[in-house]
Amino acid sequence: MPKTRSNKIAFQGEPGANSHLACRDAYPAMEAMPCPTFEDALAAVKGGAGRLAMIPIENSVAGRVADIHHLLPDSGLFIVAEHFERVRHQLLTLPGVKLAALKTVHSHTMALGQCRKIIRELKLKPVSEADTAGAARELRESGDQTAAVIASALAAEVYGLEIARADIEDAEHNTTRFVILAAKAVDVPAGDGPVITTFVFRVRNVPAALYKALGGFATNGVNMTKLESYQLEGSFNATMFYADIEGHPDERRVTLAMEELGFFTSEVLVLGTYPTSRFRAALKAAD
């Protein structure tokens, strides 16, 4: 294994991004490696420049992260873990700037959507940027005293900005789920604690195919925690589904459910079986 793979975790965005925070919180001993795009982060692991990639897949407020479902099946990588990061947005300005002087607020579209109350309160014009940390860097470089950004406390530290308002997200439960990808799947034995299995599938073009494909999970008592559809190649006929289930493929109930799924699908690709995160387990225990 290349030496460069041993201690780097790739993420999309610039230093100070929320994905950077997730890398630091989940893998503090690893070196976080910023990448311009999700494709670049995945390619870094595929090519050996990094050992892992930290990829956001959904947010409790804004929903799923665009494009990820399309990228994962073709990446050649495997999901080896999941991580839930509590998102705390900060309103950042240049040092000494007063709130009354602000006219615009810049950030990633998802961050803007998660902070609508403060934007309305301060009567700011939202401006969408490629990512939160990049918006912070650009503010530092521009010197624009009429602009603010929504980014992390780490971004304020990295780019020398002030936190004008702290923890401005609309919802206290604002949390992003990340999946961690590697070049090789993890070997998690069945029965060695709770696991999540993630897969994508395409149903056959026959009536009630989705209903029949999913029936095996219900009859075998397999809990499906996530199911989303997305279109392929711009077609409204070619639909793929992304799914998470609780259970290991080697468990009999999961094996039977997956076999039944196969009868009504033209394609099934397992992206990974990995340990359930402590965050997920705690939520389930609280229900």
Side-chain angles (χ1 to χ4, degrees):
M1 180 179 293
K3 184 177 180 180
T4 53
R5 192 194 289 276
S6 64
N7 198 43
K8 289 187 177 181
I9 178 167
F11 68 92
Q12 184 276 326
E14 300 193 31
N18 286 302
S19 292
H20 186 184
L21 274 173
C23 292
R24 193 172 67 171
D25 290 345
Y27 297 92
M30 296 186 70
E31 178 185 349
M33 179 171 61
C35 298
T37 67
F38 289 123
E39 291 93 335
D40 291 330
L42 298 175
V45 178
K46 185 70 174 178
R51 180 164 63 90
L52 301 174
M54 176 74 72
I55 303 296
I57 196 163
E58 60 188 322
N59 177 268
S60 61
V61 176
R64 83 179 180 192
V65 178
D67 298 333
I68 297 304
H69 296 69
H70 294 270
L71 297 175
L72 293 185
D74 296 328
S75 69
L77 304 179
F78 299 91
I79 301 174
V80 297
E82 63 176 353
H83 172 70
F84 290 81
E85 183 78 12
R86 171 71 167 85
V87 177
R88 291 180 170 83
H89 291 304
Q90 320 298 321
L91 185 71
L92 308 182
T93 64
L94 292 168
V97 169
K98 304 297 183 182
L99 290 177
L102 300 176
K103 296 180 180 179
T104 60
V105 58
H106 302 246
S107 195
H108 188 276
T109 183
M110 290 190 73
L112 293 170
Q114 294 166 16
C115 303
R116 291 188 176 94
K117 291 181 182 178
I118 188 72
I119 294 174
R120 287 197 302 268
E121 176 190 332
L122 298 179
K123 298 178 181 176
L124 301 177
K125 177 183 177 182
V127 180
S128 181
E129 303 287 358
D131 63 79
T132 58
R137 175 186 53 78
E138 290 174 2
L139 176 59
R140 180 79 256 186
E141 294 174 350
S142 71
D144 186 353
Q145 298 195 3
T146 67
V149 299
I150 295 173
S152 69
L154 179 58
E157 178 184 329
V158 170
Y159 301 107
L161 301 176
E162 286 187 354
I163 299 178
R165 288 280 188 92
D167 299 343
I168 60 171
E169 60 276 6
D170 295 340
E172 292 183 0
H173 61 75
N174 191 348
T175 302
T176 296
R177 179 188 177 220
F178 292 82
V179 290
I180 295 90
L181 293 107
K184 293 184 179 181
V186 291
D187 183 16
V188 182
D192 191 24
V195 298
I196 300 294
T197 296
T198 297
F199 57 94
V200 294
F201 64 94
R202 187 194 307 207
V203 296
R204 299 185 186 280
N205 192 19
V206 296
L210 179 60
Y211 173 81
K212 295 174 181 177
L214 298 180
F217 295 96
T219 57
N220 288 286
V222 178
N223 186 31
M224 182 170 285
T225 61
K226 184 178 181 65
L227 178 67
E228 290 192 348
S229 64
Y230 60 98
Q231 305 303 125
L232 289 178
E233 301 169 353
S235 169
F236 289 98
N237 295 319
T239 302
M240 290 289 288
F241 293 88
Y242 171 103
D244 291 334
I245 61 170
E246 294 179 341
H248 196 289
D250 291 343
E251 295 177 50
R252 178 168 173 75
R253 63 190 181 93
V254 177
T255 299
L256 293 174
M258 294 298 285
E259 286 178 352
E260 191 162 341
L261 175 71
F263 294 148
F264 302 101
T265 56
S266 58
E267 180 182 353
V268 178
L269 176 64
V270 175
L271 298 177
T273 297
Y274 46 95
T276 299
S277 77
R278 294 178 183 177
F279 181 91
R280 184 193 293 271
L283 286 180
K284 188 172 182 179
D287 288 342

